[in-house]
């Protein structure tokens, strides 16, 4: 039996400990294939194409439609040994494609606004507890930058983050994708989005293009991690990582929020899937059961992968977490009160659009691509997946 997952030292140590416990309990030996995120998908794609994928696979919601569409994942509904009833109702549909289930949520998360309280105090910055608009966020960022001086900014540049763009469209009262997987977002939506961040760059509310590009994909060197940004968007597990990098106290806040059309959703940080080429899918499903139901596995995993996907697991971990981990757990309770589920899971092409928007925002920031051209590229690519 082989298992593959992505992660750093913390994630690898936690998953290994849980798999060790499964082996001790069942006698099943598991070959381990952990990998950093950057190399994980290339390696998995190569293994899958060669018919040599691991039996037990960590998957992402954005990748499941592609892998399922190629017939490379097992429909978990077909397995008698699967017991995923403990997973929260709001998360069960993640991993589902039409009537088939290709993944069980391993951990959940949500997008947040992370605030450096030391810099916020210097800038007189206070993030509203209730409703506030993206325009208010821009004003807070610009005023904070003016107060904090050179080489310190109010907010990190989020123009290339597709998740944030989706939040903005949902704040406006529309789903980003129609139920059939086509885009509800319009060229006008994206034009205004890119203009929003370009204006923030020009006003100094976010770092200039070169500063943002230097830290692209490297959390430890981005302005929030180095104490040069008062605010940054990030998933809940990003917040926990930031607390290990930043000396100043950090807090979690709801991103811009419209009560009439909440934009946040409870998200699947990762999922457990099984390869369609597994020689013993029923035995592999027992690993899934162990990971989400066993007290031993729940303790071993903690919140290393994100927030546990079941109330029972969260109750078990209560009182055992560090202060930042507990803050992230408490934030998820707040998200549950101020969020609405996605109308559908990510369709084919989502991962490509996510990468493309990052590239286009950077090209706009450096003055290499006009916004109108960037918008045209984005929608031409989106149309190619329909």
């Amino acid at each position: 039996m082989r298992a593959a997952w992505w992660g750093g030292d913390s994630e690898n140590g936690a998953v290994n400990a849980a798999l060790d416990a499964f082996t001790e309990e069942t006698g099943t030996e598991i070959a381990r294939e952990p990998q950093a995120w950057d190399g994980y998908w290339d390696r998995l794609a190569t293994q899958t194409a060669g018919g040599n994928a691991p039996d037990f696979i960590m998957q992402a919601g954005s990748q499941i439609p592609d892998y399922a569409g190629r017939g490379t994942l097992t429909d978990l509904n077909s397995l008698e040994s699967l017991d995923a009833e403990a997973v929260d109702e709001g998360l069960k549909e993640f991993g589902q494609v039409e009537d088939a289930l290709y993944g069980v949520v391993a951990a959940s998360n949500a997008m947040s606004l992370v605030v450096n309280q030391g810099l916020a105090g210097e800038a007189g910055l206070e993030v509203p507890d209730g409703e506030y608009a993206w325009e208010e966020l821009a004003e807070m960022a610009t005023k904070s930058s003016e107060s904090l001086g050179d080489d310190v900014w109010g907010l990190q540049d989020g123009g290339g983050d597709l998740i944030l763009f989706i939040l903005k469209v949902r704040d406006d009262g529309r789903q980003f994708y129609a139920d059939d997987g086509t885009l509800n977002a319009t060229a006008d939506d994206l034009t205004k989005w890119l203009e929003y961040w370009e204006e923030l760059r020009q006003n100094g509310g976010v770092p200039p293009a070169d500063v943002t590009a230097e830290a692209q994909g490297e959390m430890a060197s981005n302005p929030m991690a180095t104490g040069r940004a008062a605010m940054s968007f990030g998933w809940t597990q990003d917040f926990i990582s930031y607390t290990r990098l930043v000396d100043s106290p950090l807090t979690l806040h709801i991103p811009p929020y419209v009560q009439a059309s909440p934009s946040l959703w409870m998200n699947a940080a990762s999922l457990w899937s099984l390869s369609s080429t597994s020689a013993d899918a029923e035995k592999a499903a027992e690993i899934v059961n162990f990971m989400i139901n066993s007290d031993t596995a729940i303790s071993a995993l903690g919140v290393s992968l994100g927030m546990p996907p079941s109330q029972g697991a969260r109750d078990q971990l209560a009182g055992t977490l560090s202060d930042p981990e507990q803050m992230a757990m408490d934030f998820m309770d707040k998200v549950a009160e101020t969020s609405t589920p996605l109308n559908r899971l990510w369709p084919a092409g989502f991962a490509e659009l996510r990468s493309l928007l990052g590239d286009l925002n950077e090209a706009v920031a450096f003055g290499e691509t006009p916004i109108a051209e960037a918008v045209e590229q984005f929608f031409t690519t989106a149309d190619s997946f329909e």
Side-chain angles (χ1 to χ4, degrees):
M1 194 69 64
R2 294 161 55 212
W5 67 93
W6 70 78
D9 292 342
S10 174
E11 293 87 350
N12 291 344
V15 175
N16 271 312
L19 292 178
D20 285 344
F22 179 80
T23 296
E24 183 176 348
E25 183 174 307
T26 65
T28 302
E29 294 294 333
I30 302 173
R32 323 290 174 83
E33 300 178 15
Q35 180 84 31
W37 169 271
D38 289 346
Y40 181 81
W41 297 107
D42 287 343
R43 179 179 181 180
L44 182 60
T46 299
Q47 291 174 321
T48 301
N52 188 40
D55 303 84
F56 177 76
I57 307 167
M58 181 177 280
Q59 267 286 356
S62 59
Q63 299 287 338
I64 280 182
D66 177 49
Y67 278 83
R70 290 186 280 124
T72 63
L73 298 178
T74 296
D75 179 2
L76 302 179
N77 288 331
S78 68
L79 303 178
E80 294 182 359
S81 57
L82 183 71
D83 178 15
E85 287 305 307
V87 173
D88 293 342
E89 283 298 326
L91 295 172
K92 283 183 178 179
E93 69 271 17
F94 281 92
Q96 187 169 328
V97 178
E98 296 181 350
D99 294 329
L101 181 68
Y102 295 107
V104 174
V105 175
S108 63
N109 60 5
M111 185 56 67
S112 70
L113 183 67
V114 181
V115 176
N116 180 318
Q117 286 300 311
L119 294 178
E122 291 181 37
L125 167 66
E126 292 186 14
V127 177
D129 287 333
E131 288 187 284
Y132 68 107
W134 287 89
E135 291 73 20
E136 292 176 75
L137 176 66
E139 185 177 346
M140 289 188 289
T142 302
K143 288 184 176 179
S144 295
S145 294
E146 292 170 354
S147 300
L148 294 169
D150 295 340
D151 295 327
V152 184
W153 296 274
L155 178 67
Q156 283 191 185
D157 191 331
D161 191 330
L162 185 62
I163 298 298
L164 299 185
F165 180 38
I166 293 171
L167 288 176
K168 178 61 173 67
V169 173
R170 280 166 59 90
D171 269 332
D172 291 341
R174 289 171 290 124
Q175 296 288 351
F176 188 79
Y177 284 106
D179 291 344
D180 64 1
T182 58
L183 282 180
N184 266 337
T186 66
D188 186 56
D189 291 326
L190 184 54
T191 298
K192 290 178 179 177
W193 176 254
L194 293 174
E195 288 174 347
Y196 175 90
W197 291 98
E198 180 64 11
E199 184 175 349
L200 270 170
R201 284 187 288 269
Q202 293 174 358
N203 292 342
V206 301
D210 59 335
V211 173
T212 299
E214 285 172 5
Q216 195 68 32
E218 296 291 336
M219 173 179 281
S221 58
N222 72 32
M224 170 57 72
T226 56
R228 295 195 297 159
M231 297 181 289
S232 176
F233 289 100
W235 296 105
T236 42
Q237 69 263 38
D238 294 333
F239 165 76
I240 295 171
S241 297
Y242 277 134
T243 62
R244 302 184 184 118
L245 298 169
V246 182
D247 291 335
S248 177
L250 304 180
T251 53
L252 282 155
H253 301 265
I254 298 291
Y257 166 62
V258 178
Q259 188 171 0
S261 53
S263 58
L264 277 179
W265 65 90
M266 301 283 280
N267 188 64
S270 56
L271 303 96
W272 300 124
S273 295
L274 305 181
S275 170
S276 61
T277 58
S278 175
D280 192 346
E282 294 287 354
K283 174 61 70 174
E286 292 179 14
I287 307 177
V288 178
N289 295 343
F290 188 81
M291 289 298 205
I292 61 177
N293 296 316
S294 164
D295 290 351
T296 304
I298 289 167
S299 294
L301 293 173
V303 296
S304 62
L305 305 180
M307 296 301 108
S310 72
Q311 188 61 54
R314 292 191 293 274
D315 289 344
Q316 178 183 327
L317 294 177
T320 69
L321 303 177
S322 68
D323 288 345
E325 290 169 343
Q326 189 61 55
M327 288 174 66
M329 188 88 79
D330 293 343
F331 178 77
M332 292 298 288
D333 291 337
K334 189 173 184 180
V335 171
E337 299 170 359
T338 55
S339 65
T340 54
L342 295 168
N343 63 313
R344 58 155 297 136
L345 301 185
W346 310 128
F350 170 81
E352 289 81 358
L353 291 181
R354 193 173 186 180
S355 177
L356 176 61
L357 183 59
D359 294 340
L360 293 174
N361 184 67
E362 183 173 298
V364 169
F366 276 109
E368 298 169 352
T369 302
I371 288 177
E373 183 179 324
V375 171
E376 182 179 358
Q377 287 185 40
F378 184 88
F379 280 89
T380 298
T381 302
D383 290 343
S384 71
F385 292 104
E386 295 180 4

